[in-house]
Structure formats: structure tokens, C-alpha cells
Amino acid sequence: QKSQLVNLTPKEILDMADSSFGQMHTLVACLEAMIEKTENDTEYCQRLCLHHAVERTLVVMRHFTSSREVVFRGLRLIRNLTVHDILSVDAILQHSLAPDLMLSLDNFPSDQEIQQLACQILRRVYIRARENTIMGSRVVTLGKQLDEVWTFHGLSRVLTSMKLFQEDADIQLEGCMLLASIGEL
């Protein structure tokens, strides 16, 4: 089934994922197919972004918040999108999606893979938020309508992950890079 899904257009595969909420196997297969296509294909990432892939993926993750396989795959997809397409990072900021991202992590605080993906995504979001800051260099918010508390909640999440996984060099690097960029304020 996954091989058939890879040949679908970005809109078709997102629509299929949206319509398969009752069929976990199909939903996971859709996420896997999108992950596979977004690993190295920048154009595919951009086309997914045009169809609101970040927003739609976060809706799926929030709906299946207790399913590790959905949350993990959703984070992998969002990580790939944010690596290859800056507009995906902008979508998180413009639509104030950072809280949804952080809340999706709440059921997996000690899952190393999930926390590592979250640190990678959050680093890109914080750096982009800092670049786009309109209120001066002292205030960095993670969305137009978001309270600053979410900025601190995200930093707390990253610091907790760094403390919990002290031996994981990737989490430490992501966290330090995020903190360094915020520390430049």
C-alpha cells in the first residue's frame, strides 16, 4: 500500500490521511509515504506546505495524542518539512501552531526519539521567530497571537530534554544551538 501512496500528489495523500482517521493502518501508511518523499525532495516539501501539511499533520497528532506511532511519524514529517522548506517554519509561526506541537509531546516526555525530533523542530522555529521579531530584539514569540509564556514553555521543554538525555549528543547540540540563538538577544 505504501508504494502506491508514494505516487500520489501531495494534495491527494494529505486528503487520504485526513479521511483515514478511523483506519490507523492507512493513516500511518500515509505518514510513512510522506516521510519517505520529504527526506530529500525539496519540491515535494514545498508542495506539501502549499496544502497546509504542517497544520494538517498537527491536527492528526493532536487527535491521536496517545499514539506513539502517529506522533513520532508526524514529528518526522514536520522535521523533514522544516529542514527543506522555510515556509513550513513560517506556517508554524503564522498560524500559532507551536502550542499544538508542544502539547503533542506531553504523553512522551521520556521518549528519546520524539524529544530529539521536537528539539530539532523547535530550534528552527525559535531561530525563525527571532529573525522575524517585530517588537525588537528583546521579545521573541512563537506566533502572532501567542503569549510569551509559550516561548518559555518551549525553552523549558528543550532544557528538560537536555537534562533527561545528557548522554545524547544530538539533543545536547540542538538544545545548545537553540539557546545560543536565543542568547544573542
Side-chain angles (χ1 to χ4, degrees):
Q1 185 181 18
K2 190 172 122 181
S3 60
Q4 294 171 341
L5 294 173
V6 171
N7 295 324
L8 295 176
T9 67
K11 182 180 181 347
E12 291 170 339
I13 198 163
L14 284 166
D15 289 343
M16 181 176 274
D18 287 345
S19 67
S20 63
F21 270 38
Q23 304 164 340
M24 180 69 82
H25 181 70
T26 304
L27 176 61
V28 170
C30 288
L31 290 170
E32 279 291 331
M34 286 187 282
I35 290 166
E36 185 177 311
K37 289 289 285 184
T38 57
E39 288 286 331
N40 299 309
D41 191 343
T42 302
E43 182 185 337
Y44 194 83
C45 291
Q46 292 168 342
R47 290 172 45 209
L48 277 173
C49 184
L50 291 174
H51 296 290
H52 309 286
V54 173
E55 298 96 311
R56 292 165 80 172
T57 302
L58 282 167
V59 167
V60 169
M61 289 169 57
R62 293 289 291 143
H63 187 76
F64 293 98
T65 192
S66 62
S67 169
R68 184 201 183 274
E69 76 181 319
V70 171
V71 171
F72 176 68
R73 284 170 178 80
L75 287 171
R76 284 183 58 203
L77 176 59
I78 293 170
R79 189 247 350 244
N80 290 350
L81 290 170
T82 59
V83 165
H84 296 296
D85 183 22
I86 194 71
L87 292 178
S88 295
V89 180
D90 288 342
I92 293 171
L93 294 170
Q94 289 172 356
H95 301 291
S96 301
L97 298 173
D100 289 331
L101 177 66
M102 288 181 237
L103 292 171
S104 295
L105 308 171
D106 283 348
N107 285 340
F108 309 99
S110 59
D111 187 310
Q112 190 169 355
E113 290 178 309
I114 285 179
Q115 296 305 316
Q116 180 179 353
L117 290 168
C119 286
Q120 292 170 346
I121 296 166
L122 287 172
R123 176 180 57 86
R124 289 184 195 93
V125 171
Y126 275 93
I127 290 171
R128 187 66 173 167
R130 183 177 178 280
E131 291 170 358
N132 293 339
T133 215
I134 29 182
M135 296 182 188
S137 62
R138 304 296 269 145
V139 179
V140 175
T141 58
L142 300 181
K144 291 179 181 180
Q145 306 300 323
L146 284 182
D147 190 45
E148 289 176 37
V149 71
W150 286 105
T151 301
F152 299 112
H153 184 66
L155 287 172
S156 175
R157 166 73 66 192
V158 171
L159 290 170
T160 300
S161 294
M162 291 174 72
K163 184 177 180 181
L164 194 59
F165 304 109
Q166 293 179 14
E167 302 301 318
D168 187 317
D170 291 331
I171 289 177
Q172 299 303 316
L173 178 64
E174 294 293 336
C176 287
M177 289 171 59
L178 184 153
L179 293 171
S181 72
I182 296 298
E184 293 173 2
L185 297 176

